[in-house]
Amino acid sequence: MTAQLPRVQEPAGVIAVSTIGTVLLDALRKFDPRYLWHNPVLLLTEIGAALTTFIAIAEPFAGGAMPSGGTEMPAGFTWLLAAGFWACLYTATLAESIAEGRGRAQTEYLRRSRSGTTARRVLEYDRAKDPSAQTSAVERVDSRGLRPGDVVVVEAGELIPADGEVLWGAAEVDESEFTGHPGAVIRQSAGDRTAVTGGTRDLSDRLVVRVDAAPDDGAVERTIRLASRSRRQKSPIEVAFSALLASFSLSFVLLVLTLNAVVSPVAPPVSIPVLVALVVCLIPTEIAALMSVTGIAGMYQLLRHGVLVTSAKALETAGDITTVLLDKTGTVTQGNRTAVAFVPVGGNPPERLMRMAAEASADDPTPEGASTVQLAAHAGVELHHAVVEQGVFVPFSAATRISGVDLPDGTGIRKGAVSAVVAWLKQQGTQPPREIITELKERARDIAETGGTPLAVAIKVPGDRGRALGLIHLQDVVKEGVRERISGLHELGVRTVMVSGDHRLTAKAISEEVGIDEFVGDTTPEDKLEIIQKEQKQGHLVAMSGDGINDAPALARADIGIAMNTATAAAKQSANMIILDDDPSHLVDIIEVGRRQMATRGALITFNFANDAVRYFTLFPALFVGVFPGLDALNILRLHTPASAILSTVIFSTVVMGVLIPLALIGVPYRTTELRTSLTRNLIINGLSGVLVPIIAIKVIDLVVSLLPGF
């Protein structure tokens, strides 16, 4: 989803109230110790709050509030501390609940659109005899009963019931509620635009769709689960940082447990509620509560940009990406390469080249194949369908890089990369003349230099030598806005490399057109994998964007694998981010959000530790000032009484966490500067504000608290 999330057809106020109520209750549910067990800092806060509450209940039966460190505490002090601890815990759980709840209202439309959708499932679909399923038996079923492999029929105006692939037909599909982009897109059988998403609407024509994923596993449901954060796993950095915070907190617990034993020869003991206040105020509660919020917020921000993140680790890695590998077809270009011309070589008649190219493409379902047949037909070439239908189609593969047909009389026709077609001729026992190979390569270079893709066409007739007939000129179109986004990657200091299975000169022309730093042509899946491994060995973190089956190994190997929503199932499974609207420009958004998350966490950590430095000066003098009046010199804020100082600090710990929630959700701006400069700015801005804010806030709170009797 982008910034325009699904539009809910209900009054905004009703939705807001419902969402607020859900968030508030969810924050209370998070008080469950089984949930807080995964966040030891917050669990420690809950234990302290419960212990203080128990003491507050017992105090009236023990003669009132106990003195602490030689200072008499006012009536109600323990109750106020207990309330402050519970408020602090509630604010911490509320932060995560808000982050989780932000996506709930926006996904309600999607969930409701899925519920109750009826699908027309085709019984015993026969693609060869009845591709449009016009005469096939159809049953109406609930869309949630569909399973991968089922075939459904969708008419104009109906919702597509599940993620799938178009087997027959072409139609305009409205995906705006899902991607946030207005306008319809074309989805059709064959080619690179066959994928459809459950919950989107067919606007124009009949489609026959094979279901690829059960409704509960489709893209819409994954989006809903992501927005609700019900299944989010902590990233490795969060896990490691949680362990660090737990160790840090344990040191304060040990300090508090041994404090009275250490001072017992010279001072009365500090009361348990005050000891709990020391722990709650000085352990990094804010960081523990907001660390996961920044991760949730980052994933949510990308979701609004139309990027589905399936791994928290991937988002953290995004901030450190230094190299982006872009697959040309489907990522940089539209992917619908179209035949625009035939280029004969060796004096071959143009009509023969067109006929052989069309026969080799008659059963080719790709846009390249269909456009080749259409271009030949426009030139007046008619196919001998009876002969072609009896032939055996040879599909394209990444390994052979050719396709074609073997006719009943033993004639073989092939089209594909120049080197692959020449190699095929050699396998047939034919060595094309040197001048033919030279001409073929020169014409291919001419096509490639214009950004086109040359496909060589060759024929081998039984009893005759094989011949290279010429080339098909395919032309692709660069996606809108790619050049600007490549420039945006450069501004972020990220190097771009385009990898393509097309001719090297084609790759060069496209890369120069959009401003890509480096390019590699004539690549195989193994080559892409090798390029990524080479980059990683040099210390680079690599993001790979692709959409084909042959991209799957590279997507899995890259530090971040990014697939388009119309990508093959293999590519989506290997990737850990999916661009819902197929717009590669979101690569900039991914890296920017990753870096913003890093900057936000750095700001929160610096601010929190600076806060702690001030809290030391408000808490420790108050512990024993009743015994050692000279400690009042450390009361730099001139807080009214020890009880007021302690309670004001507890209240501030709650208030500051609430203030930091919007910062954790929105993030702090990230500027592309040297690390040293960025660190210095962070220390100055966040460190300085982390000192000034608590000084002012605690003093103001103390002025209010001092109005209470006894404080």
Side-chain angles (χ1 to χ4, degrees):
M1 301 179 190
T2 60
Q4 299 84 11
L5 284 160
R7 298 178 290 277
V8 185
Q9 306 299 323
E10 294 183 19
V14 174
I15 298 170
V17 171
S18 174
T19 302
I20 291 172
T22 301
V23 168
L24 295 177
L25 287 175
D26 187 57
L28 283 176
R29 295 189 190 100
K30 286 179 167 50
F31 277 26
D32 188 339
R34 293 171 297 181
Y35 179 86
L36 294 180
W37 178 259
H38 301 287
N39 195 326
V41 176
L42 297 188
L43 180 61
L44 195 60
T45 302
E46 184 175 47
I47 293 172
L51 179 60
T52 306
T53 303
F54 176 78
I55 294 173
I57 294 173
E59 275 185 349
F61 304 99
M66 296 179 61
S68 176
T71 301
E72 294 293 332
M73 294 300 171
F77 174 73
T78 306
W79 274 114
L80 290 173
L81 280 185
F85 298 154
W86 286 117
C88 184
L89 179 64
Y90 184 76
T91 307
T93 57
L94 182 64
E96 189 166 330
S97 295
I98 291 174
E100 294 172 355
R102 291 182 76 196
R104 288 196 180 102
Q106 284 78 6
T107 55
E108 281 303 310
Y109 174 85
L110 294 175
R111 193 179 292 279
R112 287 200 303 273
S113 71
R114 302 280 287 167
S115 62
T117 301
T118 300
R120 291 186 292 164
R121 182 165 57 192
V122 180
L123 302 176
E124 299 181 359
Y125 176 67
D126 189 330
R127 189 173 185 179
K129 296 181 180 179
D130 186 19
S132 63
Q134 294 283 0
T135 60
S136 300
V138 175
E139 65 174 352
R140 290 186 176 273
V141 298
D142 189 283
S143 62
R144 295 195 176 276
L146 295 174
R147 293 294 177 263
D150 287 347
V151 176
V152 297
V153 175
V154 184
E155 297 287 357
E158 295 180 347
L159 289 176
I160 296 172
D163 291 11
E165 178 185 2
V166 178
L167 299 179
W168 180 88
E172 291 184 325
V173 176
D174 181 9
E175 298 180 347
S176 60
E177 296 291 359
F178 188 43
T179 65
H181 282 234
V185 296
I186 301 296
R187 294 290 179 254
Q188 60 185 8
S189 61
D192 299 322
R193 296 293 180 265
T194 63
V196 290
T197 301
T200 57
R201 188 175 296 277
D202 180 350
L203 297 180
S204 62
D205 300 281
R206 180 185 180 93
L207 293 176
V208 177
V209 177
R210 180 179 61 219
V211 176
D212 287 342
D216 288 342
D217 295 327
V220 171
E221 287 298 329
R222 279 185 292 158
T223 301
I224 293 171
R225 289 198 295 268
L226 176 65
S228 66
R229 304 303 341 127
S230 59
R231 296 191 177 185
R232 180 180 182 271
Q233 299 294 321
K234 285 187 176 182
S235 66
I237 290 181
E238 286 182 48
V239 172
F241 208 79
S242 294
L244 178 62
L245 294 181
S247 302
F248 192 59
S249 301
L250 182 60
S251 66
F252 278 104
V253 173
L254 293 175
L255 171 65
V256 166
L257 292 177
T258 58
L259 179 62
N260 282 334
V262 172
V263 302
S264 60
V266 294
V270 177
S271 67
I272 292 177
V274 173
L275 292 177
V276 172
L278 280 176
V279 173
V280 172
C281 292
L282 297 181
I283 62 176
T285 310
E286 293 94 332
I287 301 176
L290 300 176
M291 181 64 68
S292 62
V293 172
T294 59
I296 296 172
M299 298 175 82
Y300 174 76
Q301 287 167 10
L302 280 180
L303 186 61
R304 295 187 64 185
H305 283 294
V307 180
L308 183 66
V309 182
T310 60
S311 165
K313 179 182 178 181
L315 180 56
E316 286 186 342
T317 306
D320 294 322
I321 289 297
T322 56
T323 302
V324 172
L325 264 64
L326 302 163
D327 182 57
K328 181 183 80 71
T329 305
T331 301
V332 176
T333 62
Q334 295 286 356
N336 290 328
R337 294 182 297 186
T338 304
V340 295
F342 295 101
V343 182
V345 297
N348 284 292
E351 183 179 343
R352 188 184 188 199
L353 168 62
M354 289 187 286
R355 181 178 300 281
M356 295 304 100
E359 291 187 0
S361 305
D363 288 329
D364 185 350
T366 65
E368 294 94 325
S371 63
T372 297
V373 174
Q374 292 173 1
L375 185 62
H378 287 321
V381 175
E382 296 183 2
L383 295 180
H384 301 300
H385 292 287
V387 176
V388 174
E389 289 175 359
Q390 295 174 10
V392 177
F393 176 64
V394 179
F396 175 86
S397 73
T400 63
R401 300 171 64 204
I402 58 175
S403 63
V405 63
D406 290 326
L407 300 178
D409 62 359
T411 299
I413 308 172
R414 296 291 186 272
K415 63 184 177 71
V418 173
S419 58
V421 170
V422 171
W424 176 77
L425 286 173
K426 290 180 179 179
Q427 291 175 358
Q428 306 304 311
T430 298
Q431 175 64 49
R434 183 184 300 274
E435 59 272 15
I436 296 297
I437 294 179
T438 300
E439 185 180 2
L440 201 63
K441 290 182 177 180
E442 288 177 351
R443 297 294 173 266
R445 185 180 296 107
D446 293 339
I447 293 172
E449 285 178 347
T450 67
T453 300
L455 291 184
V457 179
I459 184 173
K460 175 65 173 67
V461 179
D464 191 12
R465 60 181 306 191
R467 301 177 184 275
L469 303 178
L471 298 161
I472 306 171
H473 182 172
L474 300 176
Q475 193 68 46
D476 203 349
V477 179
V478 173
K479 286 187 174 181
E480 184 179 356
V482 170
R483 184 176 183 86
E484 290 75 13
R485 289 299 185 166
I486 295 298
S487 176
L489 289 172
H490 292 160
E491 292 176 1
L492 292 173
V494 177
R495 193 166 114 268
T496 54
V497 180
M498 188 180 75
V499 291
S500 173
D502 292 335
H503 192 280
R504 183 179 180 278
L505 291 176
T506 301
K508 178 183 179 182
I510 296 295
S511 65
E512 289 178 348
E513 180 179 350
V514 299
I516 290 174
D517 297 318
E518 299 178 22
F519 65 91
V520 182
D522 295 317
T523 57
T524 63
E526 293 78 12
D527 294 333
K528 295 178 182 179
L529 201 59
E530 185 178 341
I531 292 170
I532 290 176
Q533 292 172 337
K534 180 181 177 182
E535 291 286 332
Q536 290 172 335
K537 287 179 180 178
Q538 293 175 354
H540 296 289
L541 288 178
V542 181
M544 167 71 187
S545 176
D547 64 352
I549 294 177
N550 60 336
D551 295 324
L555 290 171
R557 174 66 186 183
D559 298 288
I560 298 179
I562 304 167
M564 302 295 146
N565 193 39
T566 53
T568 61
K572 287 183 179 180
Q573 290 172 1
S574 300
N576 40 38
M577 291 189 183
I578 299 173
I579 296 179
L580 301 176
D581 58 6
D582 302 322
D583 184 355
S585 65
H586 290 311
L587 288 167
V588 175
D589 298 325
I590 291 170
I591 295 175
E592 284 184 338
V593 170
R595 293 187 178 181
R596 178 181 287 263
Q597 176 179 282
M598 292 170 55
T600 302
R601 288 180 172 175
L604 290 173
I605 292 171
T606 303
F607 185 85
N608 182 254
F609 282 125
N611 272 213
D612 285 345
V614 176
R615 281 181 273 204
Y616 287 131
F617 284 97
T618 62
L619 289 174
F620 281 108
L623 296 181
F624 301 106
V625 71
V627 179
F628 305 107
L631 289 175
D632 189 58
L634 297 177
N635 183 13
I636 56 176
L637 299 185
R638 311 316 303 166
L639 302 179
H640 198 257
T641 64
S644 174
I646 295 170
L647 183 59
S648 298
T649 305
V650 171
I651 294 174
F652 170 76
S653 298
T654 302
V655 172
V656 74
M657 195 180 307
V659 172
L660 290 176
I661 290 176
L663 178 67
L665 292 172
I666 300 172
V668 300
Y670 176 84
R671 299 180 182 178
T672 307
T673 58
E674 293 183 0
L675 180 60
R676 181 181 301 176
T677 305
S678 180
L679 179 60
T680 302
R681 181 185 295 110
N682 176 51
L683 291 174
I684 293 175
I685 297 177
N686 300 303
L688 187 60
S689 61
V691 171
L692 294 178
V693 168
I695 288 175
I696 297 172
I698 292 176
K699 182 60 179 178
V700 171
I701 295 172
D702 176 72
L703 293 175
V704 176
V705 170
S706 65
L707 299 177
L708 298 175
F711 285 85

